[in-house]
Amino acid sequence: MIDKIKIFYRNNTIWVYLAKYILISLFLAVFVILIDSKFIAVLNLIPEFFLTSVELAKLILSTLAGSLLTITTFTFSTIMVVLTTYSSNFSPRVVNNFLTDKTTMKVLGIFIGGFFYCILSLFFMRDTFSDYSVLSATIAVIYAALCIIYFVIFVFRVSSSIQATKLISRVYDESYEIITKALDYRKDQVSFDDYEIGVFRSKLEIISDKSGYLELVGFNEILETLKDMETKLIMREDIGAFVSKDQIIATLYYDEDLEDENLMKKILEDFTIQGERIAYNDYRFSIQKIVDIALRAVSPGINDPNTAIHCINILGVLLSQLGEIRGRYTVIRKEDCKSEIVYEDFNFKEDIYFSFHQIVNYGKADISVVIAIFNSLKNINNSSSDDKTPIIEEFADYVYMNSIENFSHDLDIEILDRAREAV
């Protein structure tokens, strides 16, 4: 349930932040209005320096309302320019990384909240208040100063966001966090390179009721449902995989007499399928973002091989972390539960192939890119467990055979051979 709430929050982060700051501004406006209208008798306790006349307050509030609306429009235009830059120069998949950035969301929320504060204060500022001073304008001026500070922070954030190295670093942090979380979960489970189903009388195929990306599987909830039954659930699809309606996503093996239809509906409720892929538990999606940036960098339109090399180095670091993992399948068990779940959470051979094969295909004619791939493979091999060495060697041969035909000069071939041997 908590994970579902987190995914909902990630999908609606922008609206959550906007609603948060608008509500704060509305509560602030209501509180100040109650003070100005003397429903809360604290005006006499406030120094005269912080109070203004009603006419001056109206002038300040109306000016700030227009200014905040103007700067909100400018901020939105700036965001659109950055999103266009992200989509054209990096990848459409990293657009959401800027949209959901805390600074971006805070700036929009604070500006829009400030506009609502000024408008609401003006609306409730009656002529009957003209005989005494009010606090609304002073709060608005303080709020405007806060807006200026956040606008400066936003400008610096935008200037750094469009730098490729900064973006790659943020995507790397995202991937590293997801992989680390998956490894921590694995510590309490058992992992194998292969599994046996065992002998069961019957099986129940869990069929998807809609199309989309498999973003979350509630393993604990499923085991809680099956705790009194002796069953084995085999996952057929990985987190992040696209599943279509009526596709088999898992198979439940059992011996007991069960109400298949009701049980399938109950288990299916613990599978979260969404129309948009997100990097919550899906480390492959975060890696794909880095691959996309590398592909744009080696494209003829951009032609920035150094950015591609940086991406390849980052991929090498992430795959080195994956190379330390032993076992493809995780057997998920729970105390006081007779059932277990078998899930393929890591497949190093597929991970290394899908991380590099597109870069190899589009960058195989650039020797600097090919050399960077071999160096990255060398670093992965040095950090990985011994059982991963044959996989890395096989992929190094794949890279060599795909790229060697693009080079005819003896010096290029010599350097390429040396890089291959170093792996």
Side-chain angles (χ1 to χ4, degrees), residues 100-119:
T100 56
D101 182 77
K102 288 184 178 180
T103 302
T104 305
M105 293 181 292
K106 280 183 179 180
V107 165
L108 280 178
I110 288 173
F111 288 163
I112 295 174
F115 173 77
F116 274 104
Y117 170 83
C118 294
I119 291 298

Side-chain angles (χ1 to χ4, degrees), residues 54 206 334 357:
V54 172
I206 310 301
K334 194 176 180 181
H357 80 284

Side-chain angles (χ1 to χ4, degrees), residues 168-169 172 290 309-319 376:
I168 296 167
S169 177
Y172 164 76
I290 300 175
I309 291 170
H310 183 56
C311 291
I312 292 168
N313 293 334
I314 293 296
L315 288 173
V317 175
L318 292 173
L319 289 169
S376 186

Side-chain angles (χ1 to χ4, degrees), residues 2 146 155 216 286 336 340 383:
I2 295 176
L146 179 66
V155 170
L216 179 67
S286 291
D336 302 325
E340 63 182 26
S383 303

Side-chain angles (χ1 to χ4, degrees), residues 374-390:
F374 281 126
N375 290 336
S376 186
L377 292 175
K378 180 179 69 175
N379 294 332
I380 295 170
N381 198 15
N382 291 336
S383 303
S384 301
S385 56
D386 294 338
D387 60 313
K388 304 297 191 302
T389 298

